[in-house]
């Protein structure tokens, strides 16, 4: 309680200072963008000033229309919407934590006229099951070209069920330098995830029929429900070092009336967001404490060719420890009958060299073309049965032997790719990008990926119409951990064929009407999955997946009703089970009180139909097939209020207000968290 009170007090003080220093209509003087990890291409993104539905960003349910997870924040999860699932990571143990781990490709780089910072604190539950999260970001420009920043994310969740605690510490340092001729992005990330594994509850009847289960009419608390595992936990470390830089060759030209206001390159596109009344803020002085003064810009740099280099180093490790091996939960132990101390490590070093002929440097350059060559070196470390005595299967002895690698072996991979990208990003009538890559040497020879999308925007009477077509063709060499893994409970050596995935789809949207329809179909050949024995398997059968997602928002004065409905069907429900229908519906009032306080007051519901949802195996951190129990046909209802005052956001949520007897499970044997209150505050500071 003291820690929570201290955090709230600090945030409140900053909020008061922030409110006194800002006016309601002050814009946040900052722009943000994402980059592609391979070539460093810039895609401008809206800066995080979201007001509506702030509460949904603090719960796992908000990650997808339908999301399955094993507990609170920082517990493993998986989207129940197939098209929302990313490709498997090479270090597959991170897949369940995908929404939490920051990567260079999903991180927002920033540029700001004055230093910017934000603190966000959320908590839910009581003393014994409290879930707390504190995130912060700081961004400041040394000068108009060079930005430095830092980000942290701290989560500590005690869990609403026994043996379910989770903890994360995530730190990121980032910097970018944007000039006409030289552009640089750097990212250093360190993520540590520690979570207990309880294996789910022992008896589902403790949820579905609690009176019959405990033999009395007394309602038992969630912490009193017996769970399957004790003294088990997973620990994951993720380290990423990333540097992308490019040198542009081009020429300067005077801005004419025909070119004024039209960004020629990515840097101009970002700079145009920092304009006031058609003028660009420029200063030779340091932005820290200096005053930007508007000056007319008469010359612009037109890049013609870019020389690109990207280097990325990744280190991952995973430790699974436990004792008191229960009967009939894990397979028979392979290395030790009383305790488990599994570990594996992975590192990769990737270098990419590219040349890009840029779009728009003259009237004939209607598209940009990039080509690249890439090499990646990978190392994996696994336990080897022949190198270890059963009596030595303990950390203190294992660590002493690590120096001479007697207790595990190193497997090496080397892969070389070539690829190209054709893109047209200027204009609104038609934009597109087409990307392709091919493994030409090493362990990934023959792997290729071709993907692309095209979009157009036009007006039809008073409405804006947007059409988007997308697709990809992948031939994927099975990853190392799909082929090979060694541990106390699971030991496999597989010889899989390449997977082939073909997806096509289109999006039709009318933003002025709050309407969007996304229809897609994917064909899977040689699909790799985890079977009912929780080990990797492969089918030669072609599997088709069809998905249609409809978004329709209604507005009547201050009354709003937002809806998202997803229909999915699969040709093989035994191997790829999916809920046929998933929906999210949110009804709320959106109004201004006392002229300055923005208020969102409402309730939302999440629901999906019954299906045999994948189960979760803690020993491998993977989701696998099961035919024991169906999950679904249960609505999750939350009520909330969001408040936005200048640059401070608050929310109060009543989570799972419809809790009662019923099958409220997120995954097999993992219940949805019971009713509790959640609170959050987020404050931004510009000074």
């Amino acid at each position: 309680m003291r820690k929570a009170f201290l955090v709230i007090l600090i945030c409140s003080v900053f909020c008061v200072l922030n409110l006194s220093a800002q006016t309601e209509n002050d814009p946040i003087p900052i722009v943000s963008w994402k980059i592609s990890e391979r070539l460093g291409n810039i895609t401008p993104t809206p800066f995080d000033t979201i007001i509506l539905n702030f509460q949904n960003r603090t719960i796992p349910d908000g990650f997808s229309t339908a999301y399955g997870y094993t507990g609170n924040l920082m517990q493993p999860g998986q989207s129940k919407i197939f098209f929302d699932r990313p490709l498997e990571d090479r270090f597959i143990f991170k897949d369940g934590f995908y929404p939490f781990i920051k990567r260079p490709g999903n991180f927002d780089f920033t540029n700001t006229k004055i230093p910017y910072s934000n603190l966000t604190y959320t908590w839910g539950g009581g003393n014994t099951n409290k879930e707390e999260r504190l995130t912060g970001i700081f961004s400041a420009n040394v000068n108009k070209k060079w930005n430095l920043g830092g980000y942290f994310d701290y989560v500590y969740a005690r869990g609403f069920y026994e043996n379910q605690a989770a903890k994360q510490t995530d730190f990121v340092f980032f910097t970018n330098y944007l000039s006409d001729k030289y552009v640089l992005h750097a990212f250093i990330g360190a993520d540590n995830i520690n979570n207990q594994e309880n294996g789910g509850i022992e008896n589902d009847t403790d949820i579905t029929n609690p009176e019959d289960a405990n033999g009395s009419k007394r309602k038992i608390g969630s912490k009193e429900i017996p769970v399957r595992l004790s003294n088990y936990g997973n620990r994951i470390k993720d380290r990423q070092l990333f540097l992308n830089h490019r040198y542009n060759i081009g020429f300067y030209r005077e801005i004419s009336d025909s070119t004024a206001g039209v960004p020629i390159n990515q840097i101009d596109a970002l700079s145009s967001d920092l304009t006031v009344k058609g003028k660009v803020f420029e200063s030779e002085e340091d932005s820290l404490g200096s005053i930007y003064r508007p000056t007319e810009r008469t010359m612009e740099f037109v890049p013609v060719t870019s020389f690109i280099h990207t280097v990325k180093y990744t280190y991952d490790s995973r430790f699974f420890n436990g004792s008191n091996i229960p009967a009939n939960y894990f397979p028979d132990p392979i290395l030790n009958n009383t305790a488990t101390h599994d570990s594996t490590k992975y590192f990769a070093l990737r270098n990419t060299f590219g040349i890009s002929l840029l779009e728009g440097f003259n009237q004939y350059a209607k598209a940009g073309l990039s080509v690249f060559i890439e090499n990646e070196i990978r190392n994996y470390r696994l336990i080897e049965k022949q190198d270890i005595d059963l009596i030595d299967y303990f950390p203190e002895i294992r660590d002493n032997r690590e120096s001479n690698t007697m207790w595990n072996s190193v497997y090496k991979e080397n892969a070389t790719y070539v690829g190209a990208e054709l893109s047209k990003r200027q204009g609104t009538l038609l934009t597109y990008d087409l990307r392709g890559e091919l493994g030409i040497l090493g362990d990934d020879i023959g792997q290729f990926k071709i993907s692309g999308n095209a979009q157009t925007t036009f007006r039809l009477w008073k409405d804006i119409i947007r059409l988007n077509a997308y697709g990809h063709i992948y031939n994927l060499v099975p990853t190392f951990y799909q082929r090979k893994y060694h541990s106390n409970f699971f030991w496999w050596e597989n010889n899989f064929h390449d997977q082939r995935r073909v997806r096509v789809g289109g999006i039709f949207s009318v933003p002025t009407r709050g309407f969007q329809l996304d229809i897609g179909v994917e064909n899977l050949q040689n699909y790799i999955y985890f079977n009912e024995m929780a080990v990797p398997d492969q089918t030669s059968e072609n599997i088709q997946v069809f998905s249609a997602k409809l978004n329709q928002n209604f507005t009547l004065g201050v009354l709003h009703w937002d809806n998202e409905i997803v229909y999915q069907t699969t040709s093989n429900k035994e191997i790829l089970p999916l809920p046929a229908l998933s929906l999210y519906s949110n009804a709320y009032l959106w109004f201004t009180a006392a002229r300055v306080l923005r208020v969102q007051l409402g309730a939302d519901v999440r629901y999906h139909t019954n299906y045999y949802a994948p189960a979760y195996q803690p020993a491998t951190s993977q989701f696998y097939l099961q035919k024991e129990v169906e999950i679904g046909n249960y609505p999750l209802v939350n009520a909330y209020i969001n408040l936005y005052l200048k640059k401070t956001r608050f929310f109060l949520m009543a989570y799972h207000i419809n809790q009662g007897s019923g099958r409220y499970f997120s995954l097999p044997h993992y219940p949805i968290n019971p009713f509790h209150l959640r609170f959050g505050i987020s404050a931004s500071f510009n000074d």
Side-chain angles (χ1 to χ4, degrees):
M1 287 296 293
R2 291 182 179 178
K3 291 170 60 179
F5 176 77
L6 181 60
V7 172
I8 296 172
L9 180 62
I10 293 174
C11 287
S12 299
V13 171
F14 275 110
C15 290
V16 171
L17 295 175
N18 180 56
L19 295 178
S20 63
Q22 305 290 333
T23 64
E24 180 185 7
N25 296 319
D26 278 348
I28 294 180
I30 188 170
V31 294
S32 63
W33 63 93
K34 288 181 170 60
I35 64 170
S36 61
E37 287 197 14
R38 179 165 271 148
L39 296 175
N41 291 326
I42 290 173
T43 302
T45 58
F47 188 66
D48 180 18
T49 56
I50 295 175
I51 304 172
L52 292 175
N53 304 316
F54 176 44
Q55 80 289 346
N56 282 339
R57 304 171 64 191
T58 68
I59 54 176
D61 310 271
F63 295 147
S64 180
T65 311
Y67 192 79
Y69 55 98
T70 63
N72 35 271
L73 282 174
M74 293 318 305
Q75 291 285 352
Q78 181 187 62
S79 176
K80 299 177 181 180
I81 309 302
F82 180 75
F83 279 17
D84 286 352
R85 298 176 186 174
L87 289 176
E88 299 86 355
D89 195 280
R90 291 200 175 275
F91 194 73
I92 61 175
F93 310 101
K94 295 193 300 185
D95 286 343
F97 304 95
Y98 181 82
F100 302 101
I101 297 177
K102 292 295 183 182
R103 300 169 172 83
N106 69 6
F107 189 78
D108 285 337
F109 289 87
T110 58
N111 192 284
T112 179
K113 298 199 296 282
I114 57 178
Y116 169 83
S117 58
N118 174 273
L119 282 177
T120 300
Y121 175 70
T122 65
W123 90 76
N127 289 334
T128 61
N129 51 27
K130 184 182 297 181
E131 178 180 293
E132 298 176 281
R133 186 176 192 179
L134 179 65
T135 61
I137 186 171
F138 173 78
S139 173
N141 271 46
V142 176
N143 52 50
K144 67 178 182 178
K145 299 178 181 179
W146 183 18
N147 177 274
L148 296 169
Y151 168 88
F152 70 88
D153 187 359
Y154 174 79
V155 178
Y156 183 59
R158 295 157 180 82
F160 289 85
Y161 297 87
E162 198 64 28
N163 302 325
Q164 202 185 44
K167 181 180 179 181
Q168 179 207 33
T169 54
D170 184 5
F171 298 96
V172 172
F173 167 79
F174 64 95
T175 186
N176 50 263
Y177 182 85
L178 307 178
S179 69
D180 289 339
K181 294 185 177 181
Y182 185 69
V183 178
L184 175 145
H185 292 87
F187 175 101
I188 302 174
D191 204 325
N192 299 285
I193 299 173
N194 293 273
N195 62 291
Q196 290 182 308
E197 300 283 5
N198 66 10
I201 63 175
E202 284 188 358
N203 300 301
D204 289 357
T205 52
D206 286 326
I207 297 296
T208 57
N209 297 289
E211 295 84 4
D212 295 340
N214 61 32
S216 70
K217 295 184 178 181
R218 182 181 70 87
K219 183 178 180 180
I220 63 174
S222 59
K223 286 280 189 178
E224 300 177 77
I225 297 177
V227 295
R228 297 184 173 193
L229 296 179
S230 60
N231 302 318
Y232 278 84
N234 269 302
R235 186 168 79 252
I236 292 176
K237 293 182 180 180
D238 176 67
R239 306 288 186 266
Q240 299 184 65
L241 305 178
F242 173 87
L243 173 66
N244 168 267
H245 55 151
R246 63 168 62 200
Y247 184 77
N248 298 323
I249 297 177
F251 58 92
Y252 287 92
R253 72 180 179 191
E254 186 174 352
I255 298 177
S256 63
D257 292 339
S258 60
T259 59
V262 179
I264 294 300
N265 58 50
Q266 295 172 321
I267 308 307
D268 286 340
L270 292 174
S271 300
S272 66
D273 288 338
L274 287 176
T275 61
V276 173
K277 297 181 180 179
K279 299 183 179 182
V280 180
F281 285 107
E282 293 187 6
S283 174
E284 298 176 355
E285 299 177 5
D286 192 317
S287 68
L288 300 176
S290 66
I291 300 177
Y292 281 86
R293 56 183 181 272
T295 61
E296 294 288 353
R297 200 177 203 181
T298 59
M299 300 293 291
E300 67 177 353
F301 180 75
V302 181
V304 177
T305 303
S306 292
F307 296 92
I308 306 164
H309 174 233
T310 303
V311 59
K312 182 181 181 182
Y313 172 81
T314 303
Y315 168 83
D316 291 309
S317 65
R318 188 245 185 185
F319 300 89
F320 176 66
N321 299 306
S323 57
N324 303 323
I325 297 175
N328 303 320
Y329 185 84
F330 295 112
D332 292 338
I334 299 170
L335 300 174
N336 189 278
N337 293 315
T338 60
T340 295
H341 301 286
D342 294 336
S343 67
T344 184
K345 298 180 181 180
Y346 158 79
F347 87 81
L349 179 63
R350 186 178 71 199
N351 276 279
T352 307
F353 298 90
I355 301 176
S356 181
L357 186 65
L358 300 175
E359 171 188 3
F361 67 88
N362 66 38
Q363 59 180 334
Y364 302 107
K366 300 297 185 181
L369 176 63
S370 302
V371 295
F372 66 87
I373 184 169
E374 177 179 280
N375 178 260
E376 186 172 52
I377 301 170
R378 313 180 196 118
N379 277 15
Y380 305 85
R381 302 185 72 176
L382 293 179
I383 296 171
E384 294 296 344
K385 204 179 334 184
Q386 65 269 23
D387 293 338
I388 189 167
D389 297 325
L390 298 187
I391 195 173
D392 291 342
Y393 189 61
F394 291 96
E396 59 271 14
I397 300 177
R398 184 190 63 199
D399 291 343
N400 291 334
R401 304 171 83 177
E402 184 173 3
S403 59
N404 56 24
T405 66
M406 290 181 60
W407 70 277
N408 60 14
S409 295
V410 177
Y411 296 85
K412 298 181 179 181
E413 290 184 344
N414 195 312
T416 301
Y417 287 87
V418 294
E421 178 177 309
L422 179 68
S423 63
K424 180 182 182 297
R425 296 185 174 92
Q426 297 179 18
T428 58
L429 183 60
L430 177 64
T431 58
Y432 58 83
D433 59 83
L434 180 65
R435 297 172 298 278
E437 63 179 79
L438 172 66
I440 58 172
L441 293 172
D443 294 271
D444 291 350
I445 189 169
Q447 174 166 298
F448 65 83
K449 295 180 182 179
I450 302 173
S451 62
N453 65 80
Q455 48 276 323
T456 183
T457 302
F458 58 91
R459 280 191 173 275
L460 183 63
W461 293 293
K462 294 183 179 181
D463 292 322
I464 296 175
I465 308 297
R466 292 178 182 168
L467 300 176
N468 178 278
Y470 59 85
H472 65 233
I473 303 173
Y474 294 161
N475 187 83
L476 304 174
V477 173
T479 63
F480 176 83
Y481 287 107
Q482 289 173 332
R483 305 191 312 266
K484 187 187 297 287
Y485 180 62
H486 301 164
S487 68
N488 194 31
F489 299 117
F490 293 94
W491 200 286
W492 61 71
E493 304 275 348
N494 296 314
N495 185 20
F496 288 145
H497 299 290
D498 292 358
Q499 295 187 87
R500 298 179 182 87
R501 305 181 63 162
V502 180
R503 178 186 297 183
V504 293
I507 302 173
F508 172 72
S509 62
V510 187
T512 50
R513 303 288 181 178
F515 174 86
Q516 179 172 294
L517 178 62
D518 183 349
I519 297 178
V521 63
E522 180 159 356
N523 183 79
L524 307 170
Q525 184 180 4
N526 297 334
Y527 178 63
I528 296 176
Y529 60 97
F530 281 77
N531 61 25
E532 294 185 39
M533 302 300 294
V535 297
D537 204 347
Q538 186 173 54
T539 176
S540 59
E541 176 187 346
N542 281 2
I543 300 176
Q544 288 80 39
V545 180
F546 173 82
S547 173
K549 179 166 69 173
L550 171 66
N551 292 84
Q552 180 62 71
N553 302 334
F554 301 97
T555 302
L556 181 61
V558 299
L559 178 62
H560 295 254
W561 185 26
D562 299 345
N563 299 276
E564 183 168 286
I565 303 173
V566 181
Y567 172 76
Q568 301 176 110
T569 185
T570 169
S571 62
N572 191 328
K573 297 180 181 179
E574 303 296 318
I575 293 178
L576 185 56
L578 298 170
L581 186 67
S582 305
L583 67 87
Y584 172 72
S585 186
N586 183 18
Y588 56 92
L589 300 175
W590 175 234
F591 58 93
T592 301
R595 297 186 179 182
V596 294
L597 180 65
R598 299 291 285 166
V599 180
Q600 183 189 16
L601 176 64
D604 58 23
V605 59
R606 292 173 171 84
Y607 171 87
H608 66 76
T609 52
N610 271 333
Y611 80 114
Y612 286 104
Y616 173 71
Q617 174 52 255
T620 57
S621 296
Q622 299 301 306
F623 297 91
Y624 67 96
L625 298 179
Q626 61 86 31
K627 296 287 290 185
E628 178 186 357
V629 60
E630 286 188 311
I631 300 299
N633 198 27
Y634 181 86
L636 171 64
V637 182
N638 304 321
Y640 63 88
I641 182 171
N642 275 306
L643 303 174
Y644 181 78
L645 182 62
K646 299 185 178 179
K647 292 183 175 59
T648 304
R649 294 173 285 182
F650 309 83
F651 80 83
L652 178 65
M653 173 196 282
Y655 182 86
H656 199 178
I657 62 174
N658 60 318
Q659 180 192 359
S661 61
R663 301 195 62 84
Y664 55 89
F665 288 90
S666 182
L667 291 173
H669 313 303
Y670 288 94
I672 296 172
N673 286 334
F675 169 81
H676 63 278
L677 296 178
R678 305 181 66 85
F679 172 82
I681 180 173
S682 178
S684 299
F685 319 109
N686 309 117
D687 50 35

